[in-house]
Amino acid sequence: MSQPQPDPTAPGHGSQPDPAGPGRQPQPTPTPASAWRRPMMARLASEEHRTATVLELFFDLCFVTAVAQAALAFEHELAEGHVGHGVLGYVLVFFAIWWAWMNFTWFASAYDTDDVPYRLLTLVQIAGALIMAAGAADALKDDDFTVITWGYVVMRLAMVTQWLRAARADPERRRTCLRYAVGILVVQVGWVVRLALPDDVGLLTFGLLVLAELAVPAWAERAATTTWHPHHIAERYGLFTLIVLGETITAATGAVRTALDTDASIGDLAPLIVGGVLTVFALWWLYFAQHAPRRLTGLPNALLWGYGHYLVFASAAAAGAGLAVNVAHATDHGHLTDRTAAAAYTIPVAVFITLVWLLHHRAAELRNPADVIHPLAVLAILASTFAPAPAPVLITGVLAALLIAATLVLAARAAAHSRERSPT
């Protein structure tokens, strides 16, 4: 559940100093609220013991259905040899999934009241996510974005209502909340109008609307920054990364099960299984070896970090689809060459490692050998694409595991060197 909200009717309750920093104004005393509705006051960015709520976890678990459907449709497009069409469709569909999730997450970090209206509006957003999941395959395979667009609009209109609630209860950030509400609403009109436009301008209008969506937070937050919680945001992104990596394992397991049902040899599949497991373990280790909250300082860094996770999430899910394609390719060559099948796996893994490295490191830190080895590992993984099948998957897994081992060894040596130089 959310952190307990203060009871505004309790004796002695009043304005409390904001511990986020000196000189900040005390938070205003909330007006009395009924048992089922609380004022949507901004939560403190310095709130202690802030963790993900059970509603947020439920939201993620339902939302991953859309991720799974997009990855499955992507896998089918690759298996049928429609590589270019599949990649483009996947990029477009995953944007809708990721952006709707991201906007809910940052709003909840600043304004989660966990009251009845908030819960109901969040459940509406979950329903929209399920509609998106139902339309993901049609959007990716047939370029029919009707269902997924309506699911997306349902989610975003619920978000407009949440921002209007926040605007009413938080006068200090009213302009920001209203900018969010108006910006989101205008862009949703654009998405609906896009459905009636000719197919030959579909990609252009999609790109323009994506730019409009991305611009809304930057424009809105210029009025006043919302009080998102760095540790809460980092945890939410980490939890969704876990779920997407879990979906990768699920997709690969289903592919292996199907291959075994068609009399495939476990010996033929062993390199793929070992390589896939090593890769997922390494990606998990690599992501959670970072301390994300230290990068969430200020709006520009936060936007860069949050937006960059589009490729982190998308590549993690795509790696599962790529592994499933390689499992199918090992038993039935189908429409893909060995190199194309390998690239369907090595490229998403390389993208994931690259983005995690870039999002958590600054240019000044690249003199550290522990940081420089990441791009070297990425280059080696991409080079493994040209190895004969099924070696690329196994090589990728081994290289990813060696990357983790190398970073641990270098970190231990750096710590020992630091202790030697420190005065006793």
Side-chain angles (χ1 to χ4, degrees):
M1 300 290 290
S2 300
Q3 296 296 320
Q5 301 290 320
D7 182 1
T9 62
H13 178 77
S15 299
Q16 298 295 326
D18 185 347
R24 290 194 60 180
Q25 295 297 319
Q27 293 291 305
T29 303
T31 55
S34 65
W36 71 275
R37 183 177 180 275
R38 301 184 179 99
M40 190 167 270
M41 306 298 294
R43 299 182 67 154
L44 297 180
S46 59
E47 183 180 342
E48 295 183 355
H49 311 299
R50 181 73 191 275
T51 59
T53 68
V54 291
L55 181 58
E56 289 173 320
L57 296 177
F58 183 50
F59 182 92
D60 289 357
L61 288 173
C62 294
F63 215 85
V64 80
T65 305
V67 174
Q69 291 300 309
L72 181 61
F74 181 45
E75 175 193 335
H76 289 165
E77 287 294 288
L78 293 178
E80 294 174 5
H82 306 149
V83 178
H85 183 266
V87 170
L88 178 60
Y90 179 72
V91 168
L92 300 182
V93 169
F94 204 92
F95 172 81
I97 296 170
W98 160 76
W99 188 247
W101 177 89
M102 176 175 163
N103 277 255
F104 164 78
T105 296
W106 287 77
F107 176 86
S109 187
Y111 288 107
D112 181 1
T113 56
D114 197 33
D115 58 4
V116 172
Y118 178 86
R119 288 187 174 193
L120 291 177
L121 286 168
T122 301
L123 294 177
V124 170
Q125 293 179 74
I126 291 176
L130 298 178
I131 297 172
M132 289 175 62
D138 289 340
L140 206 151
K141 182 178 180 181
D142 302 323
D143 298 325
D144 182 358
F145 282 82
T146 303
V147 175
I148 198 170
T149 296
W150 284 112
Y152 181 79
V153 170
V154 166
M155 293 192 68
R156 304 295 278 146
L157 291 182
M159 198 77 260
V160 169
T161 307
Q162 296 279 40
W163 280 115
L164 291 175
R165 276 196 71 193
R168 180 180 180 184
D170 186 6
E172 182 180 347
R173 300 168 188 85
R174 181 164 296 155
R175 285 185 62 201
T176 298
C177 297
L178 290 176
R179 283 187 177 191
Y180 270 112
V182 172
I184 293 171
L185 183 60
V186 169
V187 178
Q188 299 325 295
V189 173
W191 286 115
V192 174
V193 170
R194 178 182 176 273
L195 294 177
L197 296 178
D199 292 341
D200 56 356
V201 297
L203 187 58
L204 173 62
T205 54
F206 195 102
L208 293 175
L209 288 168
V210 164
L211 292 177
E213 291 276 18
L214 295 175
V216 169
W219 171 61
E221 297 281 341
R222 290 180 63 183
T225 304
T226 51
T227 59
W228 44 269
H229 194 291
H231 288 272
H232 177 250
I233 289 292
E235 182 189 24
R236 294 289 294 115
Y237 274 71
L239 290 172
F240 200 68
T241 301
L242 282 176
I243 292 176
V244 174
L245 289 176
E247 173 54 33
T248 298
I249 291 289
T250 301
T253 301
V256 170
R257 180 69 265 168
T258 300
L260 292 175
D261 289 342
T262 57
D263 298 326
S265 167
I266 190 66
D268 294 336
L269 299 177
L272 299 171
I273 296 172
V274 173
V277 170
L278 283 175
T279 301
V280 173
F281 288 176
L283 297 186
W284 167 82
W285 197 304
L286 178 67
Y287 186 91
F288 290 98
Q290 316 300 328
H291 182 63
R294 69 187 178 126
R295 295 300 183 229
L296 296 173
T297 55
L299 181 61
N301 288 338
L303 288 177
L304 179 63
W305 192 87
Y307 287 7
H309 270 75
Y310 165 69
L311 288 176
V312 173
F313 296 153
S315 60
L323 183 56
V325 165
N326 277 271
V327 171
H329 184 69
T331 56
D332 179 10
H333 286 277
H335 302 280
L336 297 180
T337 64
D338 289 354
R339 187 173 300 175
T340 303
Y345 185 70
T346 58
I347 291 178
V349 173
V351 170
F352 184 98
I353 294 174
T354 301
L355 262 294
V356 171
W357 172 65
L358 289 176
L359 291 176
H360 291 91
H361 296 79
R362 295 190 177 99
E365 299 173 329
L366 300 185
R367 293 171 294 182
N368 187 338
D371 295 321
V372 176
I373 62 174
H374 287 77
L376 296 178
V378 167
L379 291 175
I381 289 172
L382 292 175
S384 72
T385 303
F386 300 93
V393 174
L394 180 59
I395 293 173
T396 297
V398 171
L399 288 172
L402 289 175
L403 171 62
I404 301 303
T407 56
L408 290 174
V409 170
L410 291 172
R413 289 181 178 178
H417 183 64
S418 177
R419 287 194 298 268
E420 290 174 359
R421 297 180 59 183
S422 299
T424 56

